[in-house]
Amino acid sequence: MNILNLSYICPRSNQNEHQMKIAIIGTGYVGLVSGACLAETGVTVTCVDIDERKIALLNRGQIPIHEPGLAEIVARNQASGRLFFTLSTREATRKADAVFIAVGTPPDEDGSADLRHVLAAAGEIGECMDHPLVVITKSTVPVGTNYRVKATITDALARRGVDIPFDIASNPEFLKEGDAVNDFLAPDRVVIGVESDRAREVMERLYHAFSLNNVPILFMDIPSAEMTKYAANAMLATRVSFMNDIANLCEAVGADVELVKRGIGSDSRVGNKFLNAGCGYGGSCFPKDVRALVKTGDDFHHELELLKAVERVNERQKEIIFHKITRHFGDNLAGKRFAIWGLAFKPGTDDTREAPSLVLIDRLLRAGATARVYDPVAMPGTRERLGDVIEYATGMYDALQGADALVIVTEWAEFKVPKFTFIERALARKIIFDGRNIYDPVQMKRFGYTYYCVGRPSRDDT
């Protein structure tokens, strides 16, 4: 899909009294991308955060997260006077038409979403607002959270002894890390939950640029909008776990999961998205959202058996490459050295939350092995998280020096067509464990490698 056509938007040089103004609380992944992209459509946006260091970075034009294309959009809209960053919620909301809550909802110990930051933001809005607002929840939250946001704001206003009307809306995000700018500016749809005509009018105005480009704007009730976000991620996670389960069966029966994927993906009822077999999903969305939806089901005495199985399959799949390693080398890996390509949970991001790489590294170290890793963007964050228990290479081929095997965990583009002569010279043994099926087993056999992948015939079977 083409990026949103912005050619008709009002002149970018000057603000005017009719231009829409919004505030966004939270400058994490969702808040920063949303704020920058809405500014790109002509809206004046002020982003708020309590992290002084982050706001200072942003005001200097530095981006605290890795997301392709984001830095350029932030710089352009700061220069055009449409994107601002502040520590003050009161300042951000002073002349705003609407305020987004886009703070994190990390998982609690029981799998539920931790709503402390969402409700704290709602309370701060109630303490600061001095005119009618539409309060929009962008954070991923369980069904019913928007009504808790409404109650929190109402309580804050009552404590102040003021009666200021406000409306609420739910506007969940559907952004893929590594492609979030494109996803925001060229969405498949925009989902909006409202309960009042005024909230709908404000949201229609906010997304007017998208309507002009024929993007479907799907209005619905607030609980349905909240559920849509969780259901979408749960469906995608289900497809991933389903295909991984099929891949493991393919290995057992001698089938090739890549051919099976083509066979089922060509069916228009199935489609070919999210059918790649591998070593499991990770990141900040799928694991958290599946667990939160399961917890919601439990809270309402409805067991989501399918999603519990999805999570079990995924946790098992994260260990599949380690099990292939121990089947080849034995359980005691003392003295063995492994080169690992890829740390991020997927290409295009530096996010290692719940990444399969972390599970693999932990299992290798506990088995007595050492690991030397390379990732194009995720190594600084990994070093902060793991310290020096692993070695950090300066490049993909530097990671290979003297290693007993290469292990591929993230399918970065630069790994897909490597210089195999470099690999052969650097590795102590010509062994590759491929957790993302980026090479052809037949070709690897021809090159003389012992090659293990997921759901495809290995070297000895081709």
Side-chain angles (χ1 to χ4, degrees):
M1 184 183 294
N2 294 326
I3 291 286
L4 200 65
N5 178 8
L6 304 174
S7 59
Y8 50 79
I9 289 175
C10 59
R12 298 187 173 204
S13 56
N14 298 310
Q15 311 298 332
N16 63 70
E17 61 181 4
H18 302 297
Q19 190 169 18
M20 192 167 197
K21 299 177 178 65
I22 66 167
I24 296 183
I25 300 179
T27 59
Y29 179 79
V30 173
L32 184 55
V33 172
S34 299
C37 290
L38 285 171
E40 185 78 354
T41 70
V43 178
T44 298
V45 180
T46 303
C47 295
V48 189
D49 205 291
I50 61 173
D51 188 330
E52 294 184 17
R53 176 181 171 276
K54 186 184 291 186
I55 293 298
L57 281 174
L58 289 165
N59 279 323
R60 292 198 300 268
Q62 298 175 293
I63 307 300
I65 61 174
H66 177 82
E67 185 59 44
L70 182 59
E72 293 81 0
I73 289 182
V74 169
R76 180 162 59 246
N77 286 282
Q78 281 182 299
S80 297
R82 286 194 310 278
L83 182 60
F84 304 90
F85 300 98
T86 180
L87 294 165
S88 170
T89 301
R90 188 177 302 278
E91 175 188 340
T93 59
R94 184 176 297 126
K95 295 183 179 180
D97 300 290
V99 54
F100 281 87
I101 297 175
V103 296
T105 53
D108 256 337
E109 292 182 4
D110 62 358
S112 62
D114 184 346
L115 299 177
R116 285 177 297 173
H117 302 306
V118 171
L119 298 179
E124 192 166 359
I125 292 168
E127 293 166 3
C128 294
M129 63 186 292
D130 57 8
H131 64 282
L133 284 172
V134 175
V135 179
I136 308 155
T137 302
K138 196 77 172 170
S139 303
T140 300
V141 294
V143 175
T145 300
N146 277 268
Y147 295 127
R148 294 181 64 183
V149 166
K150 184 177 183 178
T152 301
I153 296 173
T154 299
D155 289 345
L157 292 172
R159 287 194 298 271
R160 292 170 55 195
V162 296
D163 182 15
I164 302 173
F166 69 95
D167 300 87
I168 59 171
S170 173
N171 180 210
E173 54 85 14
F174 299 93
L175 306 177
K176 298 188 298 292
E177 290 192 47
D179 200 28
V181 171
N182 289 341
D183 282 345
F184 195 102
L185 293 176
D188 294 325
R189 79 293 198 200
V190 176
V191 172
I192 302 171
V194 295
E195 63 172 6
S196 68
D197 291 339
R198 181 174 181 275
R200 179 169 181 139
E201 289 170 4
V202 168
M203 298 305 287
E204 285 176 342
R205 184 180 170 202
L206 180 63
Y207 283 103
H208 179 63
F210 296 80
S211 297
L212 291 175
N213 278 269
N214 298 314
V215 172
I217 309 295
L218 307 180
F219 282 97
M220 58 187 72
D221 60 89
I222 287 176
S224 295
E226 292 171 325
M227 179 62 80
T228 295
K229 167 62 178 180
Y230 277 112
N233 276 354
M235 171 62 81
L236 297 177
T238 298
R239 287 173 68 96
V240 174
S241 280
F242 169 79
M243 210 61 200
N244 282 333
D245 229 6
I246 292 296
N248 297 336
L249 182 59
C250 283
E251 283 194 28
V253 302
D256 187 331
V257 74
E258 290 298 311
L259 300 179
V260 174
K261 179 182 75 173
R262 287 185 224 165
I264 65 175
S266 60
D267 187 327
S268 61
R269 298 169 300 174
V270 177
N272 56 15
K273 301 290 182 65
F274 287 86
L275 292 182
N276 290 327
C279 52
Y281 62 74
S284 63
C285 293
F286 286 8
K288 173 176 70 73
D289 292 353
V290 168
R291 291 174 197 143
L293 194 51
V294 167
K295 180 62 169 58
T296 298
D298 290 345
D299 289 345
F300 284 85
H301 309 291
H302 178 76
E303 185 174 8
L304 291 170
E305 297 181 33
L306 175 60
L307 291 186
K308 290 180 178 180
V310 166
E311 185 177 11
R312 286 197 304 272
V313 168
N314 190 61
E315 292 306 304
R316 182 185 68 200
Q317 202 70 12
K318 289 182 179 181
E319 305 220 359
I320 194 166
I321 294 300
F322 177 76
H323 293 318
K324 290 177 183 291
I325 289 171
T326 55
R327 281 199 295 270
H328 181 92
F329 288 106
D331 292 335
N332 185 358
L333 299 179
K336 295 293 186 295
R337 180 181 177 87
F338 294 91
I340 296 177
W341 281 0
L343 295 167
F345 83 93
K346 60 178 281 188
T349 180
D350 59 354
D351 192 348
T352 60
R353 284 174 287 185
E354 307 235 15
S357 62
L358 300 183
V359 175
L360 174 65
I361 289 169
D362 177 67
R363 295 301 302 270
L364 288 174
L365 296 181
R366 285 198 283 144
T370 59
R372 185 170 175 83
V373 304
Y374 173 73
D375 188 285
V377 299
M379 290 203 294
T382 304
R383 188 187 291 273
E384 285 184 14
R385 183 170 187 163
L386 298 183
D388 294 326
V389 297
I390 54 176
E391 300 175 25
Y392 301 90
T394 57
M396 56 189 284
Y397 299 112
D398 176 55
L400 305 174
Q401 298 300 322
D404 293 287
L406 165 63
V407 187
I408 300 168
V409 189
T410 313
E411 64 276 32
W412 286 97
E414 63 193 86
F415 301 158
K416 293 181 179 179
V417 189
K419 298 177 180 178
F420 282 103
T421 53
F422 285 21
I423 296 176
E424 182 176 342
R425 287 200 295 265
L427 287 177
R429 313 182 194 191
K430 293 176 65 173
I431 304 171
I432 296 178
F433 296 89
D434 183 358
R436 297 300 179 186
N437 291 356
I438 63 176
Y439 303 140
D440 177 11
V442 174
Q443 183 183 62
M444 299 309 294
K445 179 181 180 181
R446 189 164 64 246
F447 289 170
Y449 285 87
T450 300
Y451 177 71
Y452 299 95
C453 51
V454 181
R456 306 195 71 186
S458 64
R459 187 195 71 166
D460 296 332
D461 299 325
T462 44

